[in-house]
Amino acid sequence: QVTTFLSEHGVDLKVLRDPEGKTPSLYQLSTMPTSFLIGPDGKLLHVHPGFCEADEDDIEKLLERTLSKESRA
């Protein structure tokens, strides 16, 4: 379902799945979903807990700023 959703919305990113549900406790996540933005150097750039459609504009701006910074580096 995730792959189909991303494809239908033109999203090209790597999605890691955890069918046994072990990851949230390993990383002490209290909110699902939690999104992580990781830079090309492997450093964690941003964590966004949960999802609300009202957050979409802020997330898009964050991604644009981050990509702009990365392209200048």
Side-chain angles (χ1 to χ4, degrees), residues 11-64:
V11 177
D12 182 27
L13 54 84
K14 184 170 292 242
V15 175
L16 304 176
R17 304 212 8 116
D18 176 21
E20 295 178 17
K22 294 181 179 181
T23 304
S25 62
L26 290 172
Y27 289 94
Q28 300 175 355
L29 301 178
S30 59
T31 306
M32 291 297 285
T34 298
S35 300
F36 300 90
L37 180 58
I38 301 171
D41 59 359
K43 291 184 181 179
L44 181 62
L45 301 176
H46 183 74
V47 177
H48 185 82
F51 177 76
C52 175
E53 286 190 36
D55 295 339
E56 286 183 19
D57 287 340
D58 290 338
I59 294 169
E60 186 174 340
K61 288 175 187 170
L62 170 72
L63 290 171
E64 288 172 354

